Structure formats: structure tokens, C-alpha cells
Amino acid sequence: MLEQLGIEKPPARDPLLVQRAALEQQHTPIVSFERPAATTLYSREEQPLVMEFCATLAITAERFRSPVGLCDIYVQGPDGVEVIEAKSRSEHRYVREALSQLLDYAPHSPRPVDRLAVLLPDPPDERELQLLHRYGVDCIHRVSPGVFRRVSAPDDRRHLMKRLWTET
């Protein structure tokens, strides 16, 4: 399977970081708890980043709603169609979530997708960048207010993965 994806060898594994564990046991099939009525506030930290980034574009960005959700940024321009998912932080769990959202949104795009990208407020660590690039996804991060840098996935990886993005 890895050979079909153009991967000569699997990603290096650090044996100290990976440990096997027993399956989670289920002692009761239903759990209940009561919560007092409360007001929950959510900070929409991604939206200012989206607005800041979109202000740097020469074309108008949009969004699209699909059965799997609402994407953050949808751009149709001379370079093709791009779907961008923004996250408020650059840590692994945020990057992984953005990657899974993009892979979920891509087949539902109004037009076939040419590029996928994750928009972050800070440069990600190398581990996160490699994760995105493994799936042909670019990383865009803020360098300073109003200035963004794109770290493109390798072209061969993007072309390989594009078939999966556009299958329905």
C-alpha cells in the first residue's frame, strides 16, 4: 500500500515515544451525569486569523457548506481551487484536526480541489509540517501582522493525493 502512495519507507518511529497498551475495558454500557445550567463562552480565535489572511489575497475568498461541515476558506483563482482550514494554534492536535477536516471537505468542494492548506498563527514544528506534507497539504503561517508564508507540500505528493481529494 505504501508503494502505491509513492512512499518508499514508512515515517521513522521513535521506539521511546510509541508504546503498546491493552484495549480500553467497558464495565458499563451507559454513563450518566448531571450538569447545572450554565453559560458557555467560546473564543473564536481563528476568525481574526482568517480575516487577516484573506485581506492579503488578490481575489475574494468564500466558504462552502457541505454535508460534512463548513470550510473556513474557499478560493477560486487563476491558480485553481484551494480549500484552507484555519486553526488558532500550531500544536499537533490542531494540525491533525485541520488535516482531517480538509480531507473530509475536499470531495465536497463545489469545484475539484487543486490545493489544500492549513492556516496557522505561528510556524509549526517540523513534525507537524511533515504530517501535512505527507498528505500533499500546504502550510500557511503568519510571519508578522498581515504577512504570511506558504510552505508548499512537494508537488509529487500533492499530485498523488489529489486523486483522493477529488474522488466522490
Side-chain angles (χ1 to χ4, degrees):
M1 178 68 171
L2 292 177
E3 294 83 17
Q4 292 173 341
L5 293 174
I7 300 171
E8 295 176 15
K9 61 180 184 174
R13 288 179 170 70
D14 185 341
L16 300 177
L17 295 178
V18 177
Q19 297 177 345
R20 297 170 101 177
L23 290 175
E24 180 178 3
Q25 299 298 308
Q26 181 179 5
H27 301 290
T28 181
I30 299 173
V31 176
S32 67
F33 59 93
E34 292 183 28
R35 292 190 299 190
T39 301
T40 304
L41 299 175
Y42 291 97
S43 177
R44 298 187 63 218
E45 297 175 25
E46 294 158 3
Q47 199 55 32
L49 181 66
V50 167
M51 299 308 293
E52 182 182 347
F53 173 74
C54 288
T56 69
L57 300 175
I59 57 178
T60 302
E62 302 173 285
R63 302 175 84 179
F64 71 83
R65 184 179 309 279
S66 74
V68 298
L70 181 64
C71 77
D72 285 333
I73 304 171
Y74 175 74
V75 180
Q76 294 184 72
D79 296 328
V81 173
E82 182 170 28
V83 177
I84 303 170
E85 181 65 23
K87 289 295 165 202
S88 61
R89 304 195 50 188
S90 302
E91 285 84 11
H92 186 77
R93 72 182 188 108
Y94 293 90
V95 171
R96 191 171 99 178
E97 180 179 39
L99 173 62
S100 67
Q101 287 175 274
L102 287 169
L103 294 175
D104 206 13
Y105 295 148
H108 299 280
S109 174
R111 291 192 43 222
V113 175
D114 296 298
R115 286 183 106 88
L116 296 176
V118 172
L119 176 62
L120 300 170
D122 304 296
D125 288 340
E126 187 63 26
R127 173 183 169 209
E128 285 66 44
L129 191 59
Q130 287 179 1
L131 174 64
L132 294 174
H133 287 179
R134 183 178 313 136
Y135 294 96
V137 176
D138 295 352
C139 179
I140 303 168
H141 66 84
R142 183 192 295 127
V143 175
S144 60
V147 179
F148 293 85
R149 176 177 178 238
R150 178 185 295 268
V151 183
S152 295
D155 286 335
D156 62 330
R157 181 56 45 145
R158 180 179 304 103
H159 293 301
L160 178 68
M161 294 302 296
K162 189 174 171 184
R163 287 191 358 233
L164 298 174
W165 302 343
T166 55
E167 279 185 8
T168 53

